[in-house]
Amino acid sequence: MPLDWSSIRTGEADSLHGATIKLCGWVIPLDLTADEADYFVLAADAPCCGGCVPRDPLSCVEVFAAVPCAPQEQAVTLRGRLQRLIDDPAGWRYQLVDARPVDLLPDHAPRSLGRRAFLASSAALGLAACAPGRFSSYTEKPDAQTADPQTPDAQTSDNPSAWRTADTLAMDMHSHAGRVIVSRDPAIGANRPFVPLGAPMRAGGMNVICLAIVTDTVVTHVTADRKRIEAWRTPQDGELYALGQAEFARAHALIQREQMPVVTDTASLSANSKTGPCVIIAAEGGDFLEGKLDRVDEAYTQHQLRHLQLTHYRVNELGDIQTEPPIHGGLTDFGADVVRRCNSLGIVVDVAHGTYDLVKRAANTTSKPLILSHTALATHPSARSRLITPDHARLVAGTGGVIGVWPSSGTYRDLQGMANGMKRMADVVGVEHVGLGTDMLGFINPPVFRSYEQLPALADALMTAGFTKEEVGMILGGNYRRVFEASVG
């Protein structure tokens, strides 16, 4: 059935979720280096330039085409299955899946433009002067400018390396960059296209990221008010283990595509981290273990897992979570066994999403420093909040560990606010226990740090907050490096 853009803008199209529809719009490629693409944006209005993604998520749809399409010089009509999104981290509201151009009469068929012709067109000549769309930086588009210059978080540095010393290593403690998470939509599943990872890391000077798979996505969803994620059903036996296998495979496929080394120990960290972007394999939630301790060993040997977050958005076999009422009274006996096994093998233990009681027992169990990879400080967190109290932070710091401060727009309004939040955390636990956990491509709504190209701007903001460049180096990587080396050997 034909669909007009007014239904997209008003949300009336929600009722057509899963239906086959026809929609007319303008093809906007997200990768201007390709002659054709099977992943692009369809916009209601003609773009002012070749790579200008609309800022309004209701004026465009994300398209997964059944066949590659070339940029057109006029609007085209596509037929595909409409998908309503409620949890997309990049902010998309609708997708058109398995889309194909509608057959037109030869006299009215749109004329295809090759990439070179498209870039040379009069519209594309304005590209350099045009600010990117709302989602361009959050989807890690590797063009020269990824942050909106009109917003406070788009700071630039006269000397992007001013905060670095010879030994500085920038490390992100928690990331889903590259779009590593398997889509919740079964029609897309593990086949959702990746987005560039290495290019924005190189551009911003990010050396290493902990690339985290997520192993509870098939049984969790975003609540109707879009304020949090919760479990909505009980998984079947073997279901989350199978998801874990698929996600580990997807992570390695992304790494292979980007030609990035995997860091597995202190030696490989030292050898590879200064030559180009590197990855530490991580898992957000031990749900894939399904209560079986030997799967920790399997993930270590077969998938190169070196960073394990115990819980995520469902109360699992390892313990309780911040966003749901407690069931276990904190860390379970199995969770304690997992902590000890991680210590023995050489896997960093991450207690993000865990309750205060879980962290308390983990701190009493572990023989290595703990990580709490992504959160922020609050004196009195609300019920089901992901923020932590000063005492919660001190438990982690007391093990010699690190608390990663995240860039949530629900917590901070811009990069300077995030830097000030890191200063408050340092005032509570000491600068040697503060780190960076971007949760890249893991937020319900776009955060204030949306691309690794913003790393120099964050460093500037930290120095404005009162940190020395040596302390900035500790926060942006040195502190996590200490814990990683102590944990993996």
Side-chain angles (χ1 to χ4, degrees), residues 334-454:
F334 174 69
D337 288 341
V338 169
V339 170
R340 285 187 283 264
R341 183 61 62 88
C342 288
N343 290 165
S344 175
L345 288 172
I347 299 175
V348 175
V349 176
D350 187 345
V351 291
H353 286 258
T355 61
Y356 178 83
D357 286 335
L358 179 146
V359 177
K360 185 187 297 184
R361 186 176 182 188
N364 289 331
T365 301
T366 186
S367 60
K368 304 291 177 64
L370 295 176
I371 289 294
L372 201 164
S373 58
H374 55 298
T375 187
L377 195 65
T379 305
H380 300 290
S382 60
R384 298 187 176 182
S385 172
R386 276 278 293 109
L387 306 184
I388 63 172
T389 65
D391 284 345
H392 196 142
R394 291 186 187 103
L395 279 175
V396 177
T399 68
V402 180
I403 301 98
V405 175
W406 65 2
S408 171
S409 58
T411 307
Y412 307 116
R413 67 180 301 270
D414 54 28
L415 283 187
Q416 191 58 58
M418 180 183 174
N420 294 340
M422 288 175 156
K423 181 66 166 60
R424 289 191 292 274
M425 186 70 78
D427 289 341
V428 169
V429 297
V431 68
E432 66 271 23
H433 301 294
V434 181
L436 172 66
T438 70
D439 203 4
M440 186 72 69
L441 296 190
F443 285 96
I444 297 173
N445 297 306
V448 300
F449 185 97
R450 301 185 302 275
S451 170
Y452 290 120
E453 294 189 26
Q454 293 175 275

Side-chain angles (χ1 to χ4, degrees), residues 165-348:
T165 66
D167 297 326
T168 299
L169 200 62
M171 303 182 74
D172 182 359
M173 297 162 53
H174 186 74
S175 175
H176 309 291
R179 198 180 273 152
V180 70
I181 303 173
V182 171
S183 173
R184 289 180 175 86
D185 182 353
I188 301 171
N191 297 317
R192 192 179 193 191
F194 295 124
V195 294
L197 173 56
M201 288 179 66
R202 282 188 290 271
M206 177 60 73
N207 301 101
V208 185
I209 65 170
C210 296
L211 187 65
I213 68 165
V214 180
T215 58
D216 64 359
T217 55
V218 292
V219 297
T220 60
H221 63 190
V222 177
T223 57
D225 59 9
R226 291 187 59 81
K227 291 184 178 180
R228 66 189 186 92
I229 299 172
E230 65 179 6
W232 62 278
R233 69 174 176 87
T234 301
Q236 299 174 5
D237 289 344
E239 183 178 13
L240 300 188
Y241 174 73
L243 177 61
Q245 299 301 297
E247 291 237 357
F248 279 127
R250 182 169 169 84
H252 282 285
L254 171 62
I255 292 164
Q256 183 177 12
R257 191 196 82 155
E258 297 284 324
Q259 294 295 292
M260 298 170 67
V262 176
V263 171
T264 56
D265 53 25
T266 300
S268 59
L269 179 64
S270 299
N272 296 315
S273 56
K274 292 298 183 69
T275 60
C278 300
V279 165
I280 294 168
I281 300 294
E284 184 166 26
D287 304 86
F288 69 97
L289 302 175
E290 295 183 331
K292 298 179 180 179
L293 191 60
D294 59 350
R295 289 182 178 170
V296 180
D297 301 68
E298 177 185 278
Y300 178 87
T301 57
Q302 295 187 16
H303 306 301
Q304 298 176 298
L305 180 71
R306 294 298 185 273
H307 181 129
L308 176 62
Q309 182 180 310
L310 304 179
T311 59
H312 190 219
Y313 276 117
R314 59 180 286 270
V315 179
N316 64 16
E317 296 84 359
L318 290 84
D320 293 322
I321 60 175
Q322 293 172 287
T323 50
E324 295 293 342
I327 293 175
H328 303 299
L331 187 72
T332 65
D333 291 342
F334 174 69
D337 288 341
V338 169
V339 170
R340 285 187 283 264
R341 183 61 62 88
C342 288
N343 290 165
S344 175
L345 288 172
I347 299 175
V348 175

Side-chain angles (χ1 to χ4, degrees), residues 77-97:
T77 300
L78 299 178
R79 178 189 288 115
R81 186 174 68 258
L82 188 70
Q83 298 288 326
R84 173 179 56 87
L85 303 177
I86 60 173
D87 59 356
D88 190 79
W92 302 110
R93 180 67 181 273
Y94 295 101
Q95 290 174 342
L96 197 60
V97 178

